[in-house]
Amino acid sequence: MALVLFCSCHNDDDEQNVFLTKATVKGATTIFCSSGSATKAGDDNSDRFMTIGEDGKIRPIRFINNLGDTVDMKISAITELDDTYLWFSGWFPLSNKTYETILVNKKTERIYAVDDYREQPESDMIYSDNKGNIYFHFYNVPFKLDISDPDNLMIEQYLPDEQMDGRCSFAVSPNGLLAYGGYNNCEKIKCPGGRIYRLDEFLYQEIELGSLAIDKPNDDYFIVVNDLYIIGETFYLDVYCQSQKNLEIKASFFVRLELKGDNELKIIYLPGLSEHSIIRVGYNPVRHTYEVRKFSEGVVPDYIWDYDPVTDVCTQTNYIFTEYYANLGQSKIATWQKPYDNREVNYFAYNLSDHSKMCEVNLKDYGVDEVYKTVVSPKQTGMTFTGFRYLDGKNLVGKVTEEGEVIINEDTKSDSKITTLILLN
């Protein structure tokens, strides 16, 4: 069942019909929130969501209605869906109805009222296809936001409840394939046209028919999809066949899922990836290539291999993977990491162009004694963080550049812990 989202669908002749037209988020680079800070005068118990602009200025998120008035609304949470849309939860009373969810277009500030209450989407399971449609997750069920008509956005439940019963994982590739089920999303595939494939049965069929260039195991076996990657437009699967008798791995290989039309899948065997013990495939946006990490126990150095999806060839480079720290994410130009020891506040940036170290920063040297959260965005340079300073007992927002400069935004100082940090453009 589709949900219609609407904006300005009101009778302008009725002066009593008040509705929201804009939310003041345009030009913001960051959104943050301190728990317990006042949303409006006299309200000390509400959270206040603020923006940081390109000029570094701090401004509260406020709303403009069709009468031209600037008003405050209670915001409880914000999730970024993609480069265009933000999902707001809260309490948005208008003249004839109160909404608990709205969408905000970051570029136009236009507001869409969701005519049905929904919780916040889970931020680690939000995907977009190559048509711009957005997929997210409520109550173990994925939903699709169709943005083809900006005046009439549509939300639809993308799978029946029963298909996600007891499952909580899914992924969507740019060509619109939905992978879902199990701890690694790899039980079933839904095509854009609606057809569903069960992966193990489909793979077993192709192996038994000899359609894949692998040696078919001699004894009874079952199929395990070990991992799933989005490479280019579609999914790549790391698969192995395991013996029913002794659980021995009888075959291991990589395949690509090729979409024919909107409703048919074809499995393509990939010898270039299958001949190696691959433990990670990731895209490097600076070098414009897919980088592969192979299993190389006891082998030093740990070289990076480049993978070409067109030719299915892996080529060893002279680049070496960095130390085994906890990965925080990729900025526009660097990979950011930190030690696994949570007591440490050292942070490292490695250049994506050649994987050399760009900086190592200890935030305690800059008066940041505790770090609560770090966010790294491929849309921005640097690493943004929230933390606590013992010197004056203040919570704050700061940034570390790839050159090692630490910038503390003193205007964000708060007595309350900063609970939300979202990087935008």
Side-chain angles (χ1 to χ4, degrees), residues 194 229 365 382:
Y229 299 95
D365 294 340

Side-chain angles (χ1 to χ4, degrees), residues 109-311:
E109 300 187 314
R110 193 178 185 186
I111 292 176
Y112 299 79
V114 182
D115 200 17
D116 188 17
Y117 173 66
R118 303 274 175 191
E119 289 187 351
Q120 284 290 115
E122 296 186 26
S123 58
D124 60 342
M125 281 196 285
I126 300 176
Y127 300 88
S128 296
D129 63 25
N130 52 22
K131 296 180 180 178
N133 300 310
I134 306 168
Y135 302 80
F136 44 85
H137 181 271
F138 293 120
Y139 311 113
N140 280 353
V141 178
F143 286 75
K144 175 184 176 182
L145 172 61
D146 186 333
I147 54 87
S148 57
D149 181 359
D151 293 320
N152 191 29
L153 302 184
M154 302 283 291
I155 293 179
E156 63 173 326
Q157 183 171 321
Y158 206 56
L159 280 174
D161 293 339
E162 296 77 13
Q163 281 295 299
M164 291 298 288
D165 184 31
R167 304 179 177 96
C168 60
S169 295
F170 79 97
V172 179
S173 60
N175 61 2
L177 292 176
L178 170 75
Y180 67 97
Y183 73 96
N184 61 356
N185 316 324
C186 297
E187 289 186 0
K188 296 178 182 177
I189 295 286
K190 179 183 177 181
C191 297
R195 183 177 180 181
I196 292 177
Y197 288 81
R198 179 165 171 155
L199 277 177
D200 58 352
E201 293 178 351
F202 191 29
L203 287 162
Y204 183 83
Q205 168 189 296
E206 295 297 295
I207 293 172
E208 292 299 308
L209 290 174
S211 303
L212 299 180
I214 68 169
D215 294 329
K216 188 176 75 172
N218 295 323
D219 55 359
D220 292 334
Y221 64 94
F222 60 93
I223 291 172
V224 176
V225 180
N226 183 52
D227 217 336
L228 173 147
Y229 299 95
I230 297 175
I231 298 179
E233 290 292 296
T234 192
F235 289 125
Y236 283 51
L237 307 179
D238 179 15
V239 183
Y240 59 84
C241 303
Q242 199 161 4
S243 169
Q244 295 276 17
K245 297 178 181 178
N246 56 15
L247 302 183
E248 179 185 354
I249 294 178
K250 294 293 186 179
S252 179
F253 55 95
F254 263 84
V255 297
R256 180 177 70 243
L257 299 184
E258 199 166 281
L259 181 61
K260 300 294 185 181
D262 281 339
N263 239 6
E264 182 180 353
L265 279 185
K266 184 177 180 181
I267 296 179
I268 308 296
Y269 171 66
L270 302 170
L273 286 177
S274 299
E275 65 186 17
H276 304 290
S277 297
I278 306 299
I279 58 176
R280 195 190 80 181
V281 180
Y283 185 69
N284 186 318
V286 174
R287 298 186 59 234
H288 305 291
T289 188
Y290 289 92
E291 296 179 337
V292 169
R293 190 169 205 161
K294 297 183 182 183
F295 178 74
S296 53
E297 186 175 8
V299 177
V300 177
D302 186 5
Y303 285 110
I304 292 170
W305 294 66
D306 285 351
Y307 176 69
D308 186 342
V310 177
T311 61

Side-chain angles (χ1 to χ4, degrees), residues 47-66:
D47 296 346
R48 186 165 202 179
F49 283 80
M50 313 290 288
T51 64
I52 303 177
E54 294 178 354
D55 56 3
K57 298 294 185 182
I58 311 301
R59 300 174 178 89
I61 295 179
R62 307 191 73 192
F63 297 86
I64 300 171
N65 64 26
N66 59 310

Side-chain angles (χ1 to χ4, degrees), residues 344-356:
E344 296 291 334
V345 286
N346 284 56
Y347 295 88
F348 311 86
Y350 293 89
N351 199 325
L352 285 171
S353 64
D354 60 5
H355 293 270
S356 61

